[in-house]
Every structure is written in C-alpha cells, then in structure tokens.
Amino acid sequence: MEVSPASASTHSRLTAFQVLQSRDPGVAKRALAVRVNGELRDTSCEVSATDTVEPVLPEDPEALEIYRHSTAHLLAAAVLDLFPGTKLGAGPALKDDPKGGFYYDFLQEKPFTPDDLARIEKRMREIVKQNTPFRRVEMPREEALQKFSADELKCYFIGEKGGENPSFYTLGDQFIDFCRGPHVPSAGRIKAFKLLSIAGAYWLGDERNPQMQRIYGTSFFTQEELDAWLQQREEAARRDHRRLGKELDLFSFTDEVGSGLALFHPKGALILHLLQEFLYEELFAREYQLVRTPHVASSRLWETSGHTAKYRGDMYPAMQFEDEPLEYQLKPMNCPFHIQIYKSQPRSYRELPLRYAEMGTVYRYERSGVQHGLLRVRGFTQDDAHLFCTPETLEAEIIGCLEFARKVYATFGFEYRIELSVRDPENHAKYLGGPEVWSLAEAALTQALDRLGLAYTRVEGEAAFYGPKIDIKVIDAIRRTWQLATIQVDFNLPQRFGLEYIGADNRPHPPIMVHRAILGSLERFFGLLIEHFGGRFPVWLAPVQVAVLPIADRWNDHAAGIAQTLRQAGLRVELDARSEKIGAKIRQAQLRKVPYMVILGDREAETGNLAVRTRSDGDIGTFSVGDFIARVTQEVQQRVITP
C-alpha cells in the first residue's frame, strides 16, 4: 500500500511506523520491521509519499531471522556493558543450525566461563526491561574508517561490505557495530532467549588469524516455543551421532589421519555398504549407468568447469610432480568427470537421456570451526548422478528423480518438504542463458511437481546463476529439517565444455544437464540416520540383527550351532558366550541396540525352539527356528522400519 499523499503533506517526515499506525494501530504495534518497496527496513525508517510500505509480522518468513539477529545484538550490548574493551566480530542469525539461533564472536583476552554466560543473560534481561531502542546510524565511509580506526575488526567490515555510506546500529550507550539491519524496534520486543554455549572461532574462519570466542544462543517469540526447543535440544543430545558412533563402534576421527576425515569401523562400513546396495538396486531399476572416476584431476579441468574461480577457497591446493607441466587437484565435484565420459564419443538424440551415476568421493577444505562429526567433513562420498537430456525429455527425467527420492525417503520413514528455487523476476540479467531455456526449465520443474501432486514452496531469486532447482528437506524423528535431495538444471557446464548431440534435424544441439543427488553426502546421511533412529537401526540396516545369548556355559555349544544356522540363513548374528549372568548379556545387547535377542536354556535345548526378545518390546514368546528366520528375513526383505 502506498503512503497517502495527504498524510505526507501533513507531516514533513513520516516513518514507516507512522504509516502503519495510521492504517492499523494493532498491526503497527506487532510489526518487527517493514518492507519498503520490497526491501526490508526498520520501522523507524523514513518513507516518501510514493513508497509502498508493508509490515513484517512475527508469522512472516523473514521475521524470526530479524528477531534472532536483534537478539545477537542484545547479547553483544550486554557483553560490552560487562566486559568493556571487548572487540566485536560477526553476529549473524543462523538458519537450521543445531547449535542455536544466533552467535556473536568476541575478541578479548579473558576466556568466557559458564558463570559469565549467566551474568550476560541477566544483563540482557535488564536491557529488555529498559526497552532500549535499536537505532540505525549512517555515515560516509571515510568518516566511519576514521571514527573506528582503533578497531581493525569494524574497519574490515566497513571496507569490505559497507559501501559508500556504511550503516551501524546502537543499543544503549556502549554498543555500536557495523550492520546492514534491519532490527526490531527495541530490545523490549525480545521475549524469550537463552545463551547456550561457548566455542572458539578464528577471525574470518582463517586459522592464521586471531582466535575469537563465540557465544551461541537462541531466541523465540514466546517462552513456550523456547521451552519446546530446549526439550528438543536435550533429545538431540541423547541422539548425538558422535556419542552414539563411539558407543556403537561405528566410526572415529583421529589427529593422525587429520581433521574431518572419518574412519569407518566394521559395523559402520557395513551400514554404508547396505545403504549403497539399496541405492544401486534402485539405480539399476531406473536404467542408470554406473561410472567410476579418479580422485584427482588436472587443474585445467577445474578451470574449464569454473570451480577454480568460484570454489578455490574450498579446494585443496594444487600438486605438481616431477617435470610434468600439469598440476593436479583433489576433486571437489564429480560432474566434470561425467561430462568427459559424455564427450568421449558423438551423441545422438536417440541415445538421450543418458543417466550416469557414481558413488563418488570428493574432498573439500571445510574450516575447522564448521566441522561437526559426520555432518560436516572434508572427505565424503556423494550418491551423485548427472542426466543428459533433450528439452523434450527434461520433464520426464525430473519426474523420475522425484519418484526416486520419494521411494528412498519412504523406506526410511521420512516426511519431507520441497522448495522450488527460480529466477529473481526483477533481475533476469544475472542468470546464464536466455529466457526461453529458463522458462523451459522452470516449467519442467513446476509441471513435474504438479503432476505428482507434491506440495512445494516457490522461492523466487534462489536459483543458481546457471539454472533453477528443486531442494527436498527431510524431517527427522524430533522434527528437525535436513537438506538432502537436489535436482538442479544446469545450462552452464554443457556450454563451458561444448557438449552436443545430433538432433532429429541432423544438426548439433546442446544437451540439458541435470545434477541429481538423493542422499547427498553418504557420511552426512549416515550421521542423520544415527540421530533419526537414535542408533536403533531397522533390522535390514542393523550391523548385528540377532544376539544369541546362552543362559549358562553348558549351552554354549548349542548356542553356537543356532548362531551358525541363523548365519547360513543370511542373518547377521553375534554369539555372547561370556561367563556372565543372562541379565548382564541382555543389558549389553540392549546397549548395543541389537533388534533381536535369542535366549537359550534348558527348555530351548529340549524343544529345539528359541525364546525371543526384541529391544523395544522385551519378551515376545517362543519361536521355532524356521519361524524366527522367516520373521526376520521378511523384515529385512521388506525393509521394515522397526522401533
């Protein structure tokens, strides 16, 4: 809605808040920020008579990020009150981050302690009670650099991101920091927050720079929401894949091998094998062709693909050997290799679509501050695929990818939500390719989703410069979201590598390339599965499916025979022949989260039957050996999801 000219003539200067108040005082009171001509601004900003002003309310998508960014500034203001002389680094809100809703980096000699967090939180509440306003200050770049010349951190942000008139925000007498905003009108609008932890972080993520102290926190619009999140966080800690990975002997990291490089122990490697086996089964059913590519490639390949220019900071340094003129680099992506296979011979439209798939291991230099168990590592394997198709077959290929993803996620019991990222409708110039190919690709993605009846959110302006995409985010057992599948249309790489096929008109045409991953990183997906199931893997994935537990040593030979029979039937079995009481053996099997326990004593030896327990239901009765094998085998074949 535009500002009323009549109102503008009455007041020489109107703020966005005054405009909202004139329309609806209730909305004005609830507004956290505004959109002025589509741009996010503070409610205190001045507007003209021709500006369109709309409120940002708590229920709007942008609201929580603004709210949490403001809480981060509230944290920094409290720190400066309590620890004068502290220098401020970055303080962003976080999206879908398990560590919390925001953080702020601080540079000071004395380490923060848990007691300090309590003091800081108390001071934050005092500032909230005072309802201290957030104020935006702008000044010319040179004036700002001179004013903050003693603070090299602020000067860096001013120089790199400030533009000609950098903006700053104040909160109280001590706090002022570079920030583009917007923020909530005052600290009194922040109702529920909690400081969570302290961590180390290098300035700008570079180990050569000074180490700062990072305080994580979160905030919500109500105390009830915060309490629910904290309860979820406690449950997440119980399911933490790093702790369970050690307890269940699945994987480890060592300093000798290097940071972010996982070692999978026999049980963990077996689960990864079973995951890949499942994916291969689905790939072959969908007429994918497997390829295999090297772990290193000439730097020339990465220059042609554009990875060197765009991702140099995430790639490992180039290597040179003997007198070879070429340098080599560990691969950060698989796609240029698949392109080389496509280029290895002339292609006809009759061959397309071609679907190349690979469990390809890639390497990216993740900074130490962002590594997190299996969820963020430096070497990982992608369930990668690249589809080369014609405009006529693009929609069908996207449908195939979506159906593939649906099948996989249903197998693990995941709910999910879908986002469709398309061009910014106001700025087509920043995208590669003409409007006709973009319209084709966006229509194909949209129609594929609609044909399958899938709900999705359309996100304008989030497409990559080289094509639109579909992202699928799964929801785990404690309602956290994880970005997994990506179906990305790419006009860029076929052009950069000069890919062609001969069409029905006997003329060359560039193929359309689709990047497709379902699980993404297998390591990250493994970590997700551990937390989703709390280590209680379904029978088909459990590294040990059955624990055979003799009640006394005299039944060890009988138990060994039963274990061998179950193994011959294809089950994964461990025999616990220790001289321990049966209660201790059952507890150990429960701790190792084994789905089935077979108890053997006098009665079972006499009858030849098995007394069976499950990890969830306890004693479930007596089974013949054949019936028990049939039960477990059916669960494995059907990939039943068991608690």
Side-chain angles (χ1 to χ4, degrees):
M1 179 176 179
E2 293 185 356
V3 179
S4 164
S7 299
S9 63
T10 305
H11 304 280
S12 58
R13 291 178 179 273
L14 281 177
T15 66
F17 176 79
Q18 289 171 324
V19 172
L20 296 179
Q21 193 172 43
S22 68
R23 286 155 40 183
D24 188 330
V27 168
K29 186 176 180 180
R30 294 182 64 229
L32 300 176
V34 290
R35 298 182 199 86
V36 179
N37 304 325
E39 180 183 352
L40 288 171
R41 303 281 299 278
D42 302 301
T43 59
S44 60
C45 74
E46 295 179 352
V47 295
S48 72
T50 57
D51 287 330
T52 300
V53 179
E54 296 295 339
V56 175
L57 303 174
E59 57 267 26
D60 290 335
E62 309 94 332
L64 188 57
E65 185 174 355
I66 294 170
Y67 185 84
R68 286 177 170 170
H69 190 192
S70 300
T71 316
H73 278 226
L74 172 63
L75 160 63
V79 167
L80 291 184
D81 283 350
L82 296 171
F83 303 92
T86 300
K87 292 185 178 180
L88 305 176
L94 301 171
K95 294 182 179 179
D96 297 326
D97 192 300
K99 294 181 180 178
F102 60 85
Y103 69 78
Y104 226 109
D105 288 342
F106 302 98
L107 186 60
Q108 70 149 356
E109 293 183 5
K110 181 183 174 183
F112 290 123
T113 67
D115 288 342
D116 289 333
L117 288 192
R119 291 177 60 208
I120 295 166
E121 199 171 290
K122 180 181 178 182
R123 180 59 187 140
M124 291 169 69
R125 298 189 190 286
E126 291 170 353
I127 298 172
V128 167
K129 286 182 180 178
Q130 294 165 4
N131 200 23
T132 308
F134 285 91
R135 299 193 186 280
R136 181 184 176 95
V137 179
E138 293 184 8
M139 63 185 79
R141 174 191 174 99
E142 294 307 317
E143 179 184 334
L145 289 171
Q146 184 175 359
K147 180 179 178 66
F148 299 108
S149 59
D151 190 334
E152 67 278 14
L153 306 188
K154 276 191 179 62
C155 287
Y156 171 83
F157 286 126
I158 294 167
E160 290 293 315
K161 302 179 180 181
E164 293 302 314
N165 290 286
S167 59
F168 301 82
Y169 279 82
T170 68
L171 186 65
D173 297 330
Q174 301 295 322
F175 174 80
I176 181 170
D177 202 10
F178 169 82
C179 183
R180 288 177 287 194
H183 285 286
V184 300
S186 67
R189 301 295 296 273
I190 302 172
K191 301 300 183 185
F193 56 85
K194 179 71 177 174
L195 299 185
L196 302 170
S197 62
I198 308 164
Y202 290 103
W203 168 240
L204 303 179
D206 189 332
E207 293 90 337
R208 296 167 296 183
N209 288 339
Q211 188 169 40
M212 307 186 74
Q213 298 182 70
R214 176 171 293 178
I215 296 180
Y216 285 99
T218 194
S219 59
F220 289 88
F221 295 121
T222 66
Q223 188 64 42
E224 291 76 15
E225 291 174 297
L226 174 60
D227 291 342
W229 185 88
L230 290 171
Q231 184 176 359
Q232 183 195 63
R233 185 169 180 260
E234 290 178 8
E235 178 62 25
R238 286 191 286 271
R239 294 169 177 261
D240 191 315
H241 75 283
R242 294 167 297 180
R243 179 179 62 80
L244 290 173
K246 183 176 182 179
E247 291 178 3
L248 301 177
D249 194 24
L250 301 176
F251 64 90
S252 63
F253 295 89
T254 71
D255 292 338
E256 288 79 7
V257 172
S259 177
L261 300 169
L263 299 170
F264 288 94
H265 300 194
K267 291 176 181 176
L270 174 59
I271 294 173
L272 281 176
H273 168 76
L274 294 168
L275 288 173
Q276 292 184 71
E277 192 174 58
F278 167 50
L279 289 172
Y280 282 135
E281 179 184 309
E282 293 297 323
L283 287 167
F284 293 140
R286 298 165 196 278
E287 299 184 11
Y288 281 77
Q289 300 180 66
L290 294 186
V291 298
R292 187 180 178 93
T293 62
H295 290 241
V296 298
S298 158
S299 297
R300 190 165 57 196
L301 182 72
W302 308 115
E303 289 166 4
T304 302
S305 69
H307 288 98
T308 301
K310 192 169 180 63
Y311 301 106
R312 185 188 298 273
D314 298 323
M315 296 172 67
Y316 279 89
M319 303 171 284
Q320 194 163 15
F321 302 99
E322 299 177 344
D323 297 325
E324 282 197 54
L326 293 178
E327 292 182 324
Y328 291 85
Q329 285 181 279
L330 289 168
K331 63 175 177 179
M333 303 277 191
N334 297 304
C335 33
F337 294 93
H338 296 185
I339 285 171
Q340 295 302 307
I341 295 171
Y342 180 94
K343 285 186 68 176
S344 65
Q345 57 183 285
R347 303 292 178 181
S348 164
Y349 75 97
R350 298 181 188 277
E351 297 176 70
L352 304 186
L354 282 174
R355 308 182 189 102
Y356 293 151
E358 178 181 18
M359 302 297 168
T361 301
V362 299
Y363 303 89
R364 299 179 191 169
Y365 187 72
E366 297 285 2
R367 302 305 190 267
S368 58
V370 299
Q371 292 173 41
H372 184 72
L374 295 178
L375 304 183
R376 200 77 178 265
V377 290
R378 288 176 170 171
F380 54 94
T381 302
Q382 293 179 306
D383 66 320
D384 224 348
H386 295 92
L387 288 59
F388 301 90
C389 55
T390 66
E392 294 78 16
T393 58
L394 176 60
E395 183 182 327
E397 291 307 297
I398 294 166
I399 288 174
C401 293
L402 289 168
E403 289 177 332
F404 195 166
R406 285 205 302 185
K407 171 67 181 295
V408 170
Y409 299 155
T411 300
F412 297 103
F414 285 125
E415 300 175 43
Y416 52 85
R417 62 173 188 252
I418 300 173
E419 293 180 356
L420 170 62
S421 297
V422 297
R423 288 170 297 177
D424 181 345
E426 303 299 324
N427 187 7
H428 287 186
K430 67 179 182 180
Y431 300 101
L432 180 75
E436 67 285 347
V437 291
W438 274 89
S439 296
L440 168 73
E442 291 180 356
L445 292 168
T446 303
Q447 289 167 14
L449 291 165
D450 291 340
R451 287 186 194 280
L452 294 176
L454 296 172
Y456 61 91
T457 301
R458 185 181 178 93
V459 186
E460 294 187 339
E462 288 299 312
F465 75 93
Y466 52 83
K469 64 175 180 172
I470 291 171
D471 290 324
I472 305 180
K473 299 180 178 181
V474 302
I475 302 168
D476 72 7
I478 57 174
R479 311 307 297 173
R480 297 172 300 179
T481 59
W482 305 72
Q483 167 67 53
L484 287 189
T486 295
I487 303 166
Q488 172 78 64
V489 180
D490 187 351
F491 313 125
N492 178 46
L493 287 181
Q495 176 180 311
R496 293 181 77 100
F497 283 96
L499 301 190
E500 293 181 345
Y501 68 90
I502 302 302
D505 58 1
N506 209 31
R507 297 173 61 183
H509 301 271
I512 297 175
M513 184 176 179
V514 178
H515 304 255
R516 187 242 66 194
I518 303 297
L519 302 184
S521 157
L522 293 183
E523 286 77 3
R524 181 171 177 270
F525 185 74
F526 190 13
L528 184 168
L529 277 189
I530 294 171
E531 299 197 0
H532 178 60
F533 291 120
R536 299 156 68 92
F537 295 103
V539 176
W540 72 276
L541 271 182
V544 177
Q545 296 167 325
V546 183
V548 176
L549 312 177
I551 291 175
D553 290 350
R554 64 180 178 275
W555 303 119
N556 282 355
D557 289 343
H558 177 63
I562 293 294
Q564 184 62 20
T565 299
L566 298 179
R567 290 191 190 102
Q568 289 173 345
L571 304 183
R572 296 187 289 276
V573 182
E574 280 191 0
L575 169 64
D576 187 347
R578 297 174 300 154
S579 297
E580 295 281 355
K581 292 183 179 180
I582 190 63
K585 293 182 179 182
I586 290 172
R587 281 194 298 275
Q588 179 64 19
Q590 288 283 163
L591 287 172
R592 292 188 295 121
K593 306 187 189 303
V594 179
Y596 283 100
M597 288 151 270
V598 168
I599 316 298
L600 298 173
D602 293 342
R603 184 186 309 164
E604 289 73 33
E606 291 173 5
T607 63
N609 291 329
L610 311 176
V612 179
R613 295 177 59 90
T614 71
R615 63 190 171 195
S616 301
D617 299 326
D619 184 2
I620 61 170
T622 300
F623 292 74
S624 69
V625 173
D627 286 347
F628 177 69
I629 289 173
R631 175 188 173 115
V632 181
T633 300
Q634 183 180 38
E635 285 191 40
V636 172
Q637 291 174 343
Q638 295 179 356
R639 297 192 172 98
V640 173
I641 303 170
T642 51

